[in-house]
Amino acid sequence: MIMKVSVTSWSPCTSPSSHPHFAGHSVHSALEDSWYVAHVPSTLFLCFVAESFGQNYPEEADGTLDCISMALTCTFNRWGTLLAVGCNDGRIVIWDFLTRGIAKIISAHIHPVCSLCWSRDGHKLVSASTDNIVSQWDVLSGDCDQRFRFPSPILKVQYHPRDQNKVLVCPMKSAPVMLTLSDSKHVVLPVDDDSDLNVVASFDRRGEYIYTGNAKGKILVLKTDSQDLVASFRVTTGTSNTTAIKSIEFARKGSCFLINTADRIIRVYDGREILTCGRDGEPEPMQKLQDLVNRTPWKKCCFSGDGEYIVAGSARQHALYIWEKSIGNLVKILHGTRGELLLDVAWHPVRPIIASISSGVVSIWAQNQVENWSAFAPDFKELDENVEYEERESEFDIEDEDKSEPEQTGADAAEDEEVDVTSVDPIAAFCSSDEELEDSKALLYLPIAPEVEDPEENPYGPPPDAVQTSLMDEGASSEKKRQSSADGSQPPKKKPKTTNIELQGVPNDEVHPLLGVKGDGKSKKKQAGRPKGSKGKEKDSPFKPKLYKGDRGLPLEGSAKGKVQAELSQPLTAGGAISELL
């Protein structure tokens, strides 16, 4: 039965029993449904909405991205066009998320990559590895701009949202550090208790403030420019007991942020209320999200691109819990492969897509795309079974004599108007609320050169006569190159500057959580990262050919391998080449 009423306002509620008009009444509530109360003059109607108006969250698995290496962490750029994945062997694999193909591989570190962050314009990447090194990379060239060596392992790196000259670093057992890349200087942020240095930190949405949290549940809000304390409060578990802060995450839109704590509760706060309360305030969280049945601890939490949903990855299994922020109800649980442990979760900035990492593979979760042909052609009908078609008498006539000409009204009349096809309107999803235009220098995509396996001939190469003359000139030119390199007139590739960051009172024997338990020297666990002495791209290439002997296809060993390599390294003369092969 459909009723038409004059509704003056709507207010969402988690269940009818929580509304003051229905206090004391027991009403059934479903998991994935929402309740709305309509306030009508002198009358109250309860409306039950079976499905939300626009489900903007993923519902099923949509494939995987295999980086060849073991993936550990991932992050989207600001527009969601590129996905950077940090791997176990120190490489950073950049995926083109539209084509789902690898756009670039950067041989970044020797040890596993544990944290990544994109700059605002997408041209730079900052990465941290388990050997305590933080590096900045040029995404287009793949070169390292500069490095910073810390005394303890790095838990998180984050660019300033508006100033890519500043990077926030969270080392283990140390106060957070803010790096200034232009002059390689650093500032140690103030902490609440010098004895408690298990501190996590994060920039707010626009980088005006830095929020820090320690193991005693104390949150400090610092002014980014001056590091002055602006506000503070303590997260409690309902009584006087405190709980450790595991992570702080901000929404891309709005002023909300969430705090993941050791008591397995995700608390959502409004940043404006925190600033209003000031120092030692007592703000109440907007929502408290938790798994009451299984008491699941959370590995990683983040907001959706529009800030309306929150996803949390379980620390026990590959499972993603999605809540609606405004109401606080659980709308979906996404289950991955049984027995796998979750490492990282990232929500696409613009679309309802989630990337999660488990067992070294990136899993993609998206909405179920249902084909709706009637959206393109209103008169299109889907048939369950064959129907005999009756042809109209005038259907195949060149001109329909019986057809009456309709008058041009509304949309038909608007067709005669001129349409502007030259000016480009900015995409609202790519602009912040305080911006009108998109960044013209932003790096949205990476150019990819096609790989030709066996080119028969080069159509753009020099003619055969030119090849002969160029071979004769090679000897003289090579001599000149040797002399110029010896003189130093042609400088080699610039080596990135490495800065040692000295932190007072920080232990040097800490081991990153990704690498296992501290002090277990007899552990037989396989060492992560590339073997010692391996350099750069030669070792990284999975397609590097191996040397084989005979027709049996067995790898060469020992002295035989060295002999063949020595022979291959010697240039063959024109006359001796054929005799050697025979």
Side-chain angles (χ1 to χ4, degrees):
M1 185 176 70
I2 300 174
M3 294 181 64
K4 254 190 172 179
V5 293
S6 175
V7 179
T8 57
S9 64
W10 291 86
S11 63
C13 58
T14 52
S15 69
S17 57
S18 66
H19 198 273
H21 291 283
F22 291 86
H25 295 274
S26 175
V27 185
H28 174 70
S29 174
L31 174 67
E32 297 188 12
D33 299 331
S34 306
W35 295 92
Y36 284 84
V37 173
H39 301 282
V40 187
S42 71
T43 316
L44 181 72
F45 288 86
L46 180 69
C47 302
F48 178 70
V49 183
E51 293 179 0
S52 58
F53 297 108
Q55 290 185 349
N56 211 17
Y57 54 86
E59 296 172 326
E60 60 181 20
D62 188 30
T64 58
L65 304 177
D66 191 355
C67 299
I68 304 170
S69 314
M70 295 277 289
L72 296 178
T73 182
C74 66
T75 179
F76 285 100
N77 67 350
R78 187 168 158 240
W79 308 272
T81 54
L82 298 173
L83 175 69
V85 180
C87 298
N88 194 38
D89 59 357
R91 294 191 297 179
I92 299 173
V93 181
I94 300 177
W95 291 81
D96 188 314
F97 203 71
L98 297 182
T99 61
R100 303 278 177 98
I102 295 177
K104 196 175 193 65
I105 297 179
I106 301 175
S107 299
H109 300 270
I110 297 175
H111 290 260
V113 179
C114 55
S115 183
L116 284 171
C117 186
W118 290 88
S119 64
R120 181 174 175 81
D121 62 2
H123 283 272
K124 303 290 183 182
L125 261 175
V126 65
S127 65
S129 63
T130 55
D131 59 349
N132 312 351
I133 289 180
V134 174
S135 305
Q136 179 180 251
W137 304 91
D138 187 282
V139 177
L140 271 176
S141 64
D143 297 332
C144 181
D145 294 338
Q146 55 190 132
R147 287 194 179 99
F148 297 88
R149 183 178 285 108
F150 282 78
S152 63
I154 308 301
L155 299 177
K156 175 186 175 181
V157 288
Q158 183 187 10
Y159 269 112
H160 189 287
R162 296 296 174 94
D163 182 7
Q164 62 185 39
N165 188 40
K166 295 178 181 177
V167 174
L168 183 64
V169 182
C170 297
M172 278 183 68
K173 302 294 176 65
S174 166
V177 177
M178 188 167 63
L179 300 174
T180 307
L181 301 180
S182 58
D183 54 8
S184 300
K185 292 183 179 178
H186 70 279
V187 176
V188 179
L189 301 181
V191 293
D192 180 61
D193 186 357
D194 293 333
S195 63
D196 180 14
L197 293 176
N198 294 309
V199 183
V200 295
S202 175
F203 284 113
D204 70 346
R205 184 167 68 100
R206 291 186 179 159
E208 296 175 5
Y209 301 97
I210 299 175
Y211 286 64
T212 68
N214 62 12
K216 295 180 180 177
K218 191 66 178 285
I219 302 290
L220 302 182
V221 184
L222 308 172
K223 192 77 174 171
T224 302
D225 298 331
S226 59
Q227 291 86 49
D228 293 334
L229 182 63
V230 178
S232 63
F233 67 97
R234 192 177 296 276
V235 177
T236 58
T237 57
T239 59
S240 59
N241 296 331
T242 58
T243 177
I245 309 296
K246 294 172 68 177
S247 64
I248 304 171
E249 301 287 340
F250 280 82
R252 284 170 50 88
K253 291 186 178 180
S255 58
C256 294
F257 68 96
L258 64 83
I259 298 176
N260 180 21
T261 53
D263 63 352
R264 307 178 185 187
I265 298 176
I266 302 167
R267 294 169 173 84
V268 184
Y269 292 91
D270 189 342
R272 292 170 296 190
E273 184 186 353
I274 303 298
L275 297 174
T276 305
C277 291
R279 298 188 184 186
D280 297 323
E282 295 182 357
E284 283 297 318
M286 297 166 55
Q287 298 290 348
K288 286 186 178 181
L289 311 174
Q290 58 182 318
D291 182 5
L292 289 170
V293 179
N294 301 314
R295 297 288 298 158
T296 304
W298 308 113
K299 177 74 174 177
K300 177 72 185 292
C301 312
C302 63
F303 283 91
S304 61
D306 57 5
E308 294 300 321
Y309 294 91
I310 294 170
V311 61
S314 169
R316 291 176 178 163
Q317 58 182 335
H318 189 184
L320 304 175
Y321 291 69
I322 302 175
W323 291 272
E324 194 169 354
K325 184 196 71 177
S326 59
I327 303 175
N329 60 326
L330 183 67
V331 294
K332 194 72 180 175
I333 302 177
L334 301 171
H335 290 284
T337 309
R338 275 185 171 276
E340 292 183 349
L341 289 178
L342 193 72
L343 291 178
D344 202 2
V345 178
W347 195 305
H348 193 281
V350 183
R351 299 164 61 192
I353 295 175
I354 293 175
S356 64
I357 294 180
S358 64
S359 299
V361 178
V362 182
S363 302
I364 306 298
W365 306 85
Q367 284 183 323
N368 181 19
Q369 302 296 334
V370 180
E371 294 181 354
N372 183 15
W373 292 96
S374 59
F376 301 98
D379 57 345
F380 184 86
K381 294 180 181 178
E382 295 185 23
L383 301 177
D384 295 330
E385 56 184 10
N386 292 336
V387 176
E388 189 175 345
Y389 181 68
E390 294 181 4
E391 179 188 332
R392 297 195 312 272
E393 187 175 346
S394 60
E395 184 169 1
F396 295 104
D397 293 349
I398 297 175
E399 291 183 4
D400 191 356
E401 299 173 355
D402 303 331
K403 186 178 180 181
S404 60
E405 293 185 4
E407 296 180 3
Q408 285 194 349
T409 56
D412 296 330
E415 289 182 2
D416 298 334
E417 297 178 6
E418 290 187 9
V419 180
D420 182 13
V421 294
T422 55
S423 60
V424 180
D425 294 332
I427 301 173
F430 290 170
C431 298
S432 295
S433 57
D434 59 342
E435 293 176 330
E436 294 182 0
L437 300 175
E438 296 178 39
D439 188 357
S440 58
K441 298 180 181 178
L443 181 66
L444 271 70
Y445 306 99
L446 285 176
I448 302 175
E451 295 180 2
V452 183
E453 293 183 358
D454 297 316
E456 295 180 1
E457 60 178 290
N458 185 6
Y460 304 104
D465 298 336
V467 175
Q468 296 292 333
T469 56
S470 63
L471 287 173
M472 294 178 68
D473 294 338
E474 268 185 13
S477 64
S478 62
E479 281 295 325
K480 290 179 182 177
K481 284 181 182 176
R482 284 174 195 163
Q483 289 176 2
S484 63
S485 62
D487 298 339
S489 58
Q490 191 175 0
K493 197 172 183 181
K494 189 177 179 182
K495 201 173 181 182
K497 178 185 176 184
T498 302
T499 305
N500 288 320
I501 304 296
E502 301 292 338
L503 300 176
Q504 298 296 327
V506 177
N508 296 327
D509 59 343
E510 291 294 330
V511 179
H512 199 280
L514 281 174
L515 299 180
V517 185
K518 173 184 168 185
D520 188 9
K522 299 179 181 179
S523 175
K524 297 182 180 179
K525 186 180 176 182
K526 187 179 177 183
Q527 187 179 359
R530 293 200 291 271
K532 229 176 181 181
S534 66
K535 290 242 179 181
K537 300 172 183 176
E538 294 179 13
K539 196 76 182 172
D540 285 347
S541 174
F543 308 106
K544 185 178 178 183
K546 292 182 181 179
L547 298 171
Y548 291 93
K549 62 179 180 180
D551 295 327
R552 301 176 64 184
L554 297 173
L556 291 170
E557 296 177 0
S559 60
K561 182 176 179 180
K563 184 179 177 184
V564 174
Q565 286 178 338
E567 289 176 358
L568 289 174
S569 63
Q570 294 177 356
L572 294 174
T573 58
I578 300 175
S579 60
E580 285 284 341
L581 292 172
L582 292 174

